[in-house]
Amino acid sequence: MSLFRSKKFVLLTVCLIVLVLSLSGCGQKGPESDQNSDKQGEVSQEPIVLKLAENQPEDYPTTVGDKEMARIVEEKTNGRIKIEVYAGGQLGDEKSVIEAIQMGGLDFARVNAQPLSDFAKTLRVLSLPYLFENEDHLWKVLNGPIGEEILDTLEDSDIVGLTYYDSGTRNFYNSKREVKTPADMKGLKIRVQQSELMVGLVEALGASATPMPYGEVYSAIQTGVIHGAENNWPSYDSSSHYEVAKYFTLDQHTMTPEVVIASKATWDKLSDEDKAIIKEAARASQDVQRKAWKEYEEKSIAKVKANGNIITEVEDFKPWQDAVAPLYEKFGADYKDLIEKIKAAK
């Protein structure tokens, strides 16, 4: 064998040894974590650590629900699966979080159904104005076969729907004037979520829709870039929007729920047993979240009223319903059967 071939053979052998050693030392955390043997030869496993994105503060009802879901999962798996909740929008706004879920860059998130509907069109139905007659009607739909059917459609977008959370009713508020009828909305610049349906709703009422991230709303109202927004009581309070937009109109245009979602990429790596545990935990956490919601809502209403804000209750909903009726044809034409099933489920 020539000297050149001999050196080449030795180099190749060394490379193979290094490769084998490096592979034997590799570990991977997550749904496919490697198992390692301890000194007694018993098999141990690194915890599976998963991230959940939440854009609301630590004490907000949806965050309370997220943490309850994480607690149940950790308990049911004896600490083998841990879900870390990142509150306060640390991992991005709702749109960027949903995109990260789709791409497999994030494991779980709690998002509102309105921005989610731009990724899974069927969810637009849940945001149609004045669709639900009351809270009992809403939860009968969401926690029944219809709600499950809607969650299942998310898989076409590489998203897994786990459960719904309470988000109350959404109402308009602004810094300019009292709003009693749709005519009073004319000329107002209203922030909306990044949703085509919400843009359409605001414009149908005669106002100007301005999509922007949630975290920018306070300063935008304060500086006059926009005049107001639309949201529920707890968000109006926790965001401090009530400080800069004192006119609050109880028009109750939507009862759009929150949705807890998972990345299909993460989900597909889990065992069937772990999937069942996580789904059950998500559904069980709904009870805690809804209770926390009611308590938070009551405190928020009391706080806003004590601040002296102008609260206007809509006396006649028909002009509001008539103004937004065209949205059913524009955004619900492909889902007429589903809409009828929802209306009939009372």
Side-chain angles (χ1 to χ4, degrees):
M1 181 183 291
S2 69
L3 180 61
F4 174 75
R5 291 180 64 188
S6 176
K7 287 182 178 180
K8 186 175 180 182
F9 176 77
V10 171
L11 180 61
L12 180 60
T13 302
V14 171
C15 289
L16 286 172
I17 292 172
V18 170
L19 179 61
V20 170
L21 289 174
S22 65
L23 287 173
S24 66
C26 286
Q28 182 180 5
K29 292 185 178 181
E32 294 181 330
S33 297
D34 289 337
Q35 293 184 335
N36 301 308
S37 298
D38 60 21
K39 292 181 180 179
Q40 286 73 38
E42 296 177 351
V43 176
S44 61
Q45 187 178 35
E46 288 289 326
I48 298 172
V49 181
L50 305 172
K51 293 182 179 180
L52 188 155
E54 169 63 63
N55 74 337
Q56 294 289 0
E58 291 286 349
D59 64 341
Y60 196 78
T62 52
T63 312
V64 171
D66 300 334
K67 290 180 177 179
E68 175 65 6
M69 171 182 157
R71 184 195 69 76
I72 295 172
V73 169
E74 185 168 358
E75 180 184 275
K76 294 292 185 183
T77 62
N78 295 315
R80 185 169 49 80
I81 299 178
K82 297 180 183 292
I83 298 177
E84 297 178 342
V85 178
Y86 290 80
Q90 296 178 63
L91 301 183
D93 62 22
E94 286 184 303
K95 186 174 186 294
S96 61
V97 159
I98 296 168
E99 290 172 345
I101 287 282
Q102 277 191 310
M103 299 297 292
L106 184 60
D107 304 304
F108 300 99
R110 190 287 311 158
V111 296
N112 189 267
Q114 285 176 349
L116 187 58
S117 69
D118 283 343
F119 297 81
K121 304 297 184 185
T122 306
L123 271 82
R124 283 181 172 176
V125 172
L126 297 178
S127 296
L128 286 171
Y130 306 107
L131 176 65
F132 300 101
E133 287 195 358
N134 50 44
E135 190 175 320
D136 288 341
H137 181 202
L138 170 73
W139 289 105
K140 186 175 182 180
V141 169
L142 297 183
N143 287 336
I146 299 174
E148 193 64 29
E149 176 187 335
I150 293 172
L151 287 180
D152 288 345
T153 65
L154 286 165
E155 290 212 29
D156 292 336
S157 303
D158 294 325
I159 298 170
V160 178
L162 299 178
T163 196
Y164 299 97
Y165 279 172
D166 200 349
S167 189
T169 62
R170 296 180 76 93
N171 308 278
F172 289 107
Y173 50 88
N174 78 92
S175 62
K176 289 295 182 182
R177 57 177 176 267
E178 186 176 10
V179 171
K180 295 181 178 180
T181 69
D184 299 324
M185 294 284 290
K186 188 174 181 180
L188 292 178
K189 296 178 182 177
I190 302 295
R191 177 268 177 180
V192 295
Q193 294 167 306
Q194 294 165 314
S195 160
E196 294 176 17
L197 174 57
M198 288 311 299
V199 170
L201 189 155
V202 169
E203 292 181 346
L205 292 170
S208 175
T210 306
M212 71 169 57
Y214 185 69
E216 297 176 12
V217 176
Y218 185 97
S219 61
I221 296 175
Q222 190 177 42
T223 57
V225 172
I226 58 174
H227 301 132
E230 54 85 45
N231 219 314
N232 49 53
W233 280 108
S235 293
Y236 182 53
D237 163 25
S238 67
S239 62
S240 296
H241 292 176
Y242 74 95
E243 295 177 353
V244 291
K246 72 175 184 177
Y247 299 101
F248 190 91
T249 300
L250 276 165
D251 65 291
Q252 304 177 55
H253 49 269
T254 60
M255 299 177 72
T256 310
E258 310 289 349
V259 188
V260 180
I261 59 175
S263 168
K264 193 171 186 300
T266 295
W267 196 250
D268 288 345
K269 293 176 184 177
L270 296 167
S271 67
D272 289 342
E273 180 184 359
D274 288 342
K275 289 176 183 176
I277 289 172
I278 292 172
K279 189 133 192 175
E280 287 174 15
R283 288 176 173 173
S285 72
Q286 185 195 93
D287 292 335
V288 172
Q289 191 273 335
R290 288 179 64 187
K291 182 175 183 294
W293 182 270
K294 291 302 177 191
E295 294 172 352
Y296 201 120
E297 189 173 57
E298 289 172 4
K299 291 178 181 177
S300 295
I301 293 172
K303 182 177 177 181
V304 170
K305 287 183 176 179
N307 191 60
N309 290 44
I310 309 300
I311 313 301
T312 303
E313 293 192 27
V314 172
E315 296 179 357
D316 183 7
F317 285 97
K318 192 173 187 309
W320 298 81
Q321 293 168 330
D322 290 346
V324 300
L327 297 179
Y328 277 76
E329 186 60 37
K330 182 175 181 180
F331 294 101
D334 295 334
Y335 308 101
K336 288 182 179 179
D337 289 344
L338 177 58
I339 292 169
E340 288 307 312
K341 282 198 294 183
I342 290 173
K343 288 182 175 180
K346 299 175 184 177

